[in-house]
Amino acid sequence: MTQRKPVRKPPVKKKPIQKKRKVNRRNLWTIILAIFIAIECIGGATGLVMWVMMSQDKPELHVEDFFSPESSKIYDQNGEFVADIGMQLRDNIAYNDLSECVIDAFVATEDSRFFTHNGFDDARFAKAILENLKSRKFSQGGSTFTMQLCKLTYFQNDKTGERAKKSVEYKVQQITLARELEKQADKKAIFELYLNKLNFGGNRNIRGIEKAAEYYYNKSCSELNLPEAAMLAGVINSPYTYDPHNFLDYATSRRNTVLYLMQRHGYITKEEAKLAKAVKVEDTLADPNASIGRNGNAFAYQSYIDTVINEATDLTGYDPLTTAMDIYTFLDRKTQALMDSIQEGKQEKVPFPDDLIECGMISCRNATGEVVAIGGGRNYGRGGAMLLNHATQQYKQPGSCIKPIIDYAPAFEYLGWASDHVVLDRPMEYRGTDIVISNSDGKYHGQVPVKYALAVSLNIPAIDALQQCIDKVGYQTMMNYINGFNFSQINESTFDLGYAIGGSSFVASPEEIMAASASTMNGGYYIKPHTIGKIVFRNGLIPPVEPQYEKKQVMSDAAAYLTAQLTYEAVHTDHFNFLQILQRPYPTYAKSGTSDWGTHGQQYGIPLMAAKDKWNITQTVDYTTCVWVGYEKGVKDKGTYFTNAKQNLNLQGNIGSLVLDSLTGDTTPQAVPRPESVTNITHILGTFPYAEPVPGMDESLITTGEIKKDSAKLVQADLVAVDKLASFDASIDSDKKLKLHWNPYPDPEKLTVAPNTMDISLYHGDTKVMEYYGNRMFDYSWIFGPIRYKAKVIQNGEVKATIVTENNDHEQVIDVTPGTPIQVIGYYGFESGDDQSNEIPLNLTVPEEVKPTVEESNKNEIEVKVDDKPTTEETVVTVE
């Protein structure tokens, strides 16, 4: 085997050793700086991009967005402030009206470099971040006034308290908006806007520094001193916790912190801080209830205020709780305070017998419809707002208090009644039914004056009056008349005679009853009741509203006046009706009413027909007040009805009396003036059409009343209708004996002088269903005597005989010439006087006397003895 020779590797060449170059330090730092700049540029660019991206969805800034809506203000009839209303209570104030200590307190506490930064305080922001990292609580925000203003405007719902979720994006947008705002508004404007928007807590959502000063100190912000300004600057950090009414010690500590910060930043000296801290917070506070219109546990005037709010909304289309308005009302503070005290149970004369009984009351000026006071009910007396207002929002059957309007005013208007008219109270059925109408006392009284019928609230005369009006002018005319009063719950399709007594489907609110009743005091005009005279929008951008209310003539001034006279008599009658409590040295007018449970209450253990509602209308020529007291609903076995004891409390009358005195004060109201369209009428009592008195008649049967001038017509008393004579018979013989027969008079009672009582029984045809006797005030028989059967005998144009008899069959020998025709005229008539029925004339001839022979005489005598027959001739005539 051949061996190979080893191969030799070539020698490796060694590289020459290079020397290290020294790096220049200056170049090194340049490189490092370049790197950092590059990183910063990249980071800055990235950050800028991210900043821009996060700012894209920010709200669009408009300076006007930062203006805070003020709360609405309500003023009384004298233009004096009553209350603030709104979701928050706020009064804006200008920067120049802020006291120096207020500015210093807020700047020192919340944003010490406010007047130098551009909306974002980077040093304070960085410090806040470090503090948050150190404490890990993230409680420091580092926001400036401008940033907080943007947050409150765009990132927080002031009504609900809902806030945007905190995030980097949220903070970026807040900073961006703050810088934009600083470019569009100066520092003073921003500071002013900020203080007007802040939440200062309180028990009614106090907003803005001015309202806070009023709430806590009952003064303007411009009047605040150092301790007060410091306290308010501290409250905003936690409005509930630092409200001294809630936690006095926390509020005091927070105030002292503010004073320390003011001293630290050089706004006050150490001595000034010490003196301010020595002032007790509780010694400086005002009564918060007094400053916002409250009284004890109940909201003062709240029944009235709620009505104003609703009315303002209807008038303007804007909600005064969210749109700032100055609302000028007709509120009478004195009377409103009285109504508040009544519904709070603080009046001894109105002792509510249980907790379930409710009330509602309302008063207005008759001439204008201006509502001056409203009592919404005992629910308002317990405190609260926007509750069921029993004076304006509850509808109940008004009972008899509506009779003057629905029944008697139309009777004066359409039927021509006089104020001394006599009505008939008798058993009566609703037309077309067998439902018998009754009075509350279950009695029927016969003939009574209309003034008495209203004073004691008889039902039948009222219903009869409405029925007569419908018969006279028609259903539609009466419905139009009723609709003229704007009763909101009336339906034409359900109108019936039950309306006459405030029953059936007729329901109304006290406000509606008041407005209708006021028409009888002001000449017959309906004016929509209203609380507001003028509204001024506080932003000045919307024109003021001054509502005008039409005076609508719903009845003549004569009918209004005559109706007022009835309600005057209701107060001053001798018959007790619970209205005597309203008698005064000046003229007062009133009507009461009651509605009952009927059978519906029995399911609650309430007796059949027990009363559930009591009403009272109290009036002077100037004011009308409507009062309702009653039960909203039945409650099982809780006595939700008026027992005799409860009725005797006369709650509704006592309330009416108290309000009457409040409204009248020291004045002396005049009587309702009599219009020229009213005149006197003197006539025979109890007649209709009204009969002219007869000379020499008993003066006790003559009366003088007031009446519409165009209805003042008299009829002759002797022309009063007598029933028609249906048939009359007459005959005469040769002996001149006249025999007469009248059809019996249809009403036998008229044949005798009428007694002081009369039959008022209810009949179905000839069948007496209900037997009753009542009072008789007048009958023509008291003047002219009873009805008699009468006849005249005329021959050759001469009246030979006038016959007056009590019997419808009569015989009488008359002096007439035989063989000559006579005329006998029969009729009915009063015993004295010329009033008579129709006449029925009959023509007869008197037979001539024939002298018989002796033989004929003897024969006749025999015939008479045997047959007992007359021998003389006789003429007989019958006419029907």
Side-chain angles (χ1 to χ4, degrees):
M1 180 174 177
T2 303
Q3 294 184 341
R4 297 181 63 182
K5 293 181 179 181
V7 180
R8 302 177 70 180
K9 292 183 180 179
V12 178
K13 295 182 179 181
K14 294 183 179 179
K15 293 181 179 180
I17 299 173
Q18 297 180 352
K19 295 182 178 180
K20 292 183 180 179
R21 290 188 303 174
K22 294 183 178 180
V23 179
N24 189 302
R25 290 186 177 182
R26 182 177 179 182
N27 293 337
L28 177 62
W29 285 110
T30 301
I31 293 170
I32 294 173
L33 182 61
I35 293 171
F36 273 104
I37 291 174
I39 294 173
E40 185 177 355
C41 289
I42 295 171
T46 303
L48 181 61
V49 171
M50 293 181 63
W51 188 281
V52 172
M53 290 178 62
M54 286 188 287
S55 299
Q56 283 181 346
D57 296 330
K58 71 175 179 60
E60 185 176 351
L61 186 142
H62 299 283
V63 174
E64 56 268 23
D65 294 341
F66 297 91
F67 289 93
S68 301
E70 298 178 305
S71 54
S72 295
K73 294 181 179 295
I74 295 177
Y75 300 87
D76 66 12
Q77 62 183 351
N78 298 318
E80 297 178 358
F81 173 74
V82 172
D84 279 293
I85 58 173
M87 302 305 292
Q88 296 93 28
L89 303 186
R90 176 187 282 115
D91 272 337
N92 290 334
I93 190 170
Y95 180 90
N96 292 335
D97 293 327
L98 296 170
S99 65
E100 185 177 349
C101 61
V102 168
I103 299 172
D104 294 344
F106 278 86
V107 171
T109 307
E110 297 292 324
D111 192 355
S112 60
R113 283 182 287 273
F114 170 69
F115 288 100
T116 59
H117 63 61
N118 65 350
F120 175 62
D121 188 346
D122 49 1
R124 186 164 184 252
F125 190 76
K127 180 183 177 183
I129 292 176
L130 291 175
E131 292 290 337
N132 287 333
L133 291 173
K134 188 183 297 183
S135 64
R136 296 185 180 181
K137 292 182 179 180
F138 300 97
S139 59
Q140 300 294 319
S143 295
T144 63
F145 285 157
T146 317
M147 291 172 63
Q148 291 183 56
L149 179 59
C150 291
K151 178 186 73 172
L152 293 173
T153 303
Y154 293 117
F155 300 101
Q156 179 173 319
N157 188 320
D158 197 32
K159 297 178 182 178
T160 64
E162 185 179 355
R163 300 179 181 181
K165 186 177 181 180
K166 291 186 178 181
S167 64
V168 174
E169 182 178 0
Y170 155 77
K171 206 67 178 180
V172 166
Q173 292 182 4
Q174 190 178 335
I175 294 169
T176 303
L177 288 169
R179 286 177 167 175
E180 288 183 19
L181 180 58
E182 290 270 351
K183 295 176 183 178
Q184 298 185 41
D186 63 27
K187 290 290 186 179
K188 290 183 179 180
I190 293 172
F191 189 79
E192 173 188 314
L193 293 168
Y194 175 64
L195 259 62
N196 285 329
K197 190 174 285 289
L198 288 173
N199 179 3
F200 286 86
N203 57 7
R204 290 289 297 279
N205 274 340
I206 304 301
R207 296 294 192 273
I209 186 71
E210 178 68 6
K211 183 56 62 179
E214 178 188 338
Y215 173 75
Y216 288 106
Y217 301 113
N218 198 22
K219 62 174 64 174
S220 172
C221 178
S222 61
E223 302 171 327
L224 293 175
N225 57 34
L226 177 58
E228 295 165 345
M231 204 284 290
L232 292 183
V235 165
I236 62 171
N237 191 256
S238 180
Y240 179 77
T241 303
Y242 294 137
D243 182 342
H245 300 105
N246 299 329
F247 303 102
L248 180 61
D249 52 347
Y250 290 163
T252 302
S253 176
R254 179 61 181 169
R255 182 205 63 176
N256 292 343
T257 298
V258 173
L259 291 170
Y260 162 75
L261 291 172
M262 293 180 72
Q263 176 191 341
R264 175 184 170 188
H265 290 288
Y267 291 106
I268 59 175
T269 65
K270 184 177 181 179
E271 183 63 24
E272 287 174 325
K274 182 179 179 180
L275 290 174
K277 290 178 181 179
V279 176
K280 292 184 178 180
V281 171
E282 61 267 34
D283 291 342
T284 63
L285 297 175
D287 179 4
N289 294 330
S291 65
I292 57 173
R294 290 189 54 169
N295 180 15
N297 295 322
F299 288 76
Y301 314 154
Q302 197 62 49
S303 302
Y304 195 94
I305 289 171
D306 285 354
T307 306
V308 169
I309 292 171
N310 292 331
E311 189 176 317
T313 303
D314 292 340
L315 286 172
T316 65
Y318 295 94
D319 185 352
L321 297 180
T322 57
T323 302
M325 308 175 185
D326 287 328
I327 306 173
Y328 297 90
T329 74
F330 304 107
L331 174 67
D332 179 333
R333 286 176 180 263
K334 177 183 175 184
T335 304
Q336 184 62 50
L338 170 65
M339 288 188 178
D340 284 354
S341 69
I342 290 172
Q343 60 196 20
E344 290 167 19
K346 297 179 179 179
Q347 289 292 327
E348 292 183 2
K349 293 184 177 181
V350 189
F352 292 108
D354 56 62
D355 291 335
L356 294 176
I357 198 167
E358 259 295 356
C359 66
M361 61 206 85
I362 184 169
S363 300
C364 76
R365 291 190 180 93
N366 299 323
T368 60
E370 298 165 357
V371 175
V372 298
I374 300 172
R378 298 180 72 196
N379 53 337
Y380 274 97
R382 301 180 187 103
M386 287 300 172
L387 308 173
L388 172 64
N389 193 317
H390 294 85
T392 62
Q393 298 172 324
Q394 175 184 259
Y395 301 90
K396 293 280 191 176
Q397 289 180 326
S400 294
C401 73
I402 202 63
K403 289 176 181 176
I405 300 299
I406 300 298
D407 310 320
Y408 294 116
F412 293 129
E413 191 78 84
Y414 302 126
L415 303 180
W417 284 11
S419 60
D420 58 351
H421 188 79
V422 171
V423 295
L424 182 60
D425 180 40
R426 70 193 190 285
M428 177 181 173
E429 295 172 327
Y430 285 111
R431 188 175 293 181
T433 74
D434 57 359
I435 301 174
V436 178
I437 308 166
S438 62
N439 294 311
S440 59
D441 61 2
K443 300 177 181 178
Y444 302 95
H445 303 79
Q447 290 182 332
V448 295
V450 66
K451 293 178 180 178
Y452 173 86
L454 182 74
V456 301
S457 215
L458 299 179
N459 289 335
I460 285 84
I463 294 172
D464 197 24
L466 179 57
Q467 182 65 71
Q468 289 184 51
C469 289
I470 293 173
D471 293 343
K472 177 74 177 292
V473 300
Y475 168 89
Q476 193 57 53
T477 297
M478 281 305 303
M479 200 65 247
N480 292 342
Y481 165 78
I482 295 172
N483 284 335
F485 296 100
N486 284 9
F487 292 114
S488 61
Q489 307 300 307
I490 283 184
N491 187 334
E492 290 192 23
S493 64
T494 58
F495 170 71
D496 57 37
L497 284 180
Y499 279 38
I501 55 176
S504 190
S505 63
F506 188 2
V507 293
S509 68
E511 179 183 33
E512 292 176 339
I513 299 298
M514 172 199 69
S517 301
S519 66
T520 65
M521 300 284 116
N522 66 15
Y525 289 98
Y526 172 84
I527 308 171
K528 183 180 179 181
H530 52 281
T531 61
I532 297 174
K534 183 179 180 180
I535 297 175
V536 178
F537 289 89
R538 306 193 74 186
N539 61 13
L541 300 177
I542 305 173
V545 175
E546 292 190 63
Q548 302 298 315
Y549 294 92
E550 175 192 6
K551 294 178 66 175
K552 179 171 59 176
Q553 189 92 45
V554 289
M555 67 181 78
S556 68
D557 56 356
Y561 170 81
L562 294 170
T563 305
Q565 303 317 298
L566 292 189
T567 55
Y568 174 86
E569 291 295 332
V571 177
H572 299 87
T573 181
D574 294 332
H575 306 280
F576 181 73
N577 58 6
F578 289 105
L579 296 179
Q580 284 74 22
I581 193 174
L582 302 174
Q583 292 180 3
R584 296 293 189 275
Y586 49 83
T588 53
Y589 311 78
K591 184 68 188 81
S592 60
T594 301
S595 64
D596 59 56
W597 282 105
T599 60
H600 179 69
Q602 291 180 300
Q603 60 184 308
Y604 305 111
I606 296 172
L608 182 66
M609 309 303 287
K612 64 182 177 70
D613 301 302
K614 290 288 183 179
W615 295 79
N616 175 276
I617 309 295
T618 300
Q619 297 178 280
T620 66
V621 69
D622 301 316
Y623 293 97
T624 292
T625 298
C626 180
V627 177
W628 167 83
V629 177
Y631 294 93
E632 295 178 278
K633 60 183 179 180
V635 180
K636 182 69 173 176
D637 300 327
K638 291 295 184 180
T640 47
Y641 65 95
F642 283 90
T643 61
N644 287 336
K646 291 179 184 179
Q647 294 192 65
N648 290 335
L649 291 174
N650 194 15
L651 298 175
Q652 69 282 359
N654 277 288
I655 293 174
S657 179
L658 289 170
V659 175
L660 172 65
D661 290 340
S662 176
L663 291 171
T664 303
D666 297 329
T667 65
T668 304
Q670 301 300 306
V672 174
R674 174 167 138 168
E676 294 182 358
S677 57
V678 171
T679 188
N680 289 346
I681 185 170
T682 300
H683 60 94
I684 298 174
L685 178 69
T687 60
F688 191 73
Y690 302 120
E692 185 176 4
V694 175
M697 69 177 288
D698 185 350
E699 291 187 359
S700 66
L701 299 178
I702 301 174
T703 181
T704 298
E706 295 177 298
I707 193 172
K708 279 180 66 179
K709 191 171 289 185
D710 57 9
S711 299
K713 299 178 178 64
L714 292 172
V715 299
Q716 294 291 322
D718 56 357
L719 294 179
V720 176
V722 177
D723 287 345
K724 181 179 179 180
L725 175 61
S727 64
F728 174 61
D729 301 336
S731 65
I732 190 168
D733 60 18
S734 57
D735 292 331
K736 305 178 184 178
K737 181 185 291 185
L738 183 64
K739 294 182 179 180
L740 304 173
H741 175 77
W742 293 264
N743 189 61
Y745 194 74
D747 185 357
E749 291 185 357
K750 297 292 186 181
L751 298 174
T752 59
V753 175
N756 291 329
T757 58
M758 61 189 301
D759 183 6
I760 56 172
S761 301
L762 177 64
Y763 288 86
H764 286 173
D766 294 331
T767 303
K768 183 181 291 187
V769 179
M770 297 175 63
E771 184 176 31
Y772 278 94
Y773 292 87
N775 179 58
R776 189 194 304 271
M777 296 190 67
F778 171 76
D779 192 272
Y780 272 105
S781 66
W782 297 354
I783 301 176
F784 302 118
I787 292 292
R788 292 291 180 253
Y789 299 98
K790 291 187 174 184
K792 291 183 289 186
V793 180
I794 302 173
Q795 189 175 49
N796 297 325
E798 179 184 355
V799 177
K800 292 294 187 177
T802 299
I803 299 168
V804 178
T805 176
E806 298 179 12
N807 301 312
N808 66 317
D809 288 303
H810 180 73
E811 294 183 1
Q812 179 177 331
V813 176
I814 58 175
D815 183 17
V816 293
T817 303
T820 303
I822 64 172
Q823 186 179 52
V824 181
I825 302 173
Y827 56 93
Y828 304 136
F830 285 103
E831 190 172 58
S832 59
D834 298 328
D835 186 39
Q836 64 176 62
S837 69
N838 59 304
E839 296 179 344
I840 296 180
L842 301 176
N843 295 316
L844 306 177
T845 300
V846 182
E848 294 186 5
E849 185 178 357
V850 180
K851 294 181 180 181
T853 61
V854 174
E855 183 178 351
E856 289 174 338
S857 297
N858 292 335
K859 183 179 178 181
N860 289 338
E861 289 176 3
I862 293 171
E863 289 176 352
V864 169
K865 291 179 181 179
V866 176
D867 299 325
D868 197 24
K869 293 181 180 179
T871 58
T872 57
E873 296 181 5
E874 186 177 85
T875 302
V876 178
V877 178
T878 300
V879 175
E880 294 188 2

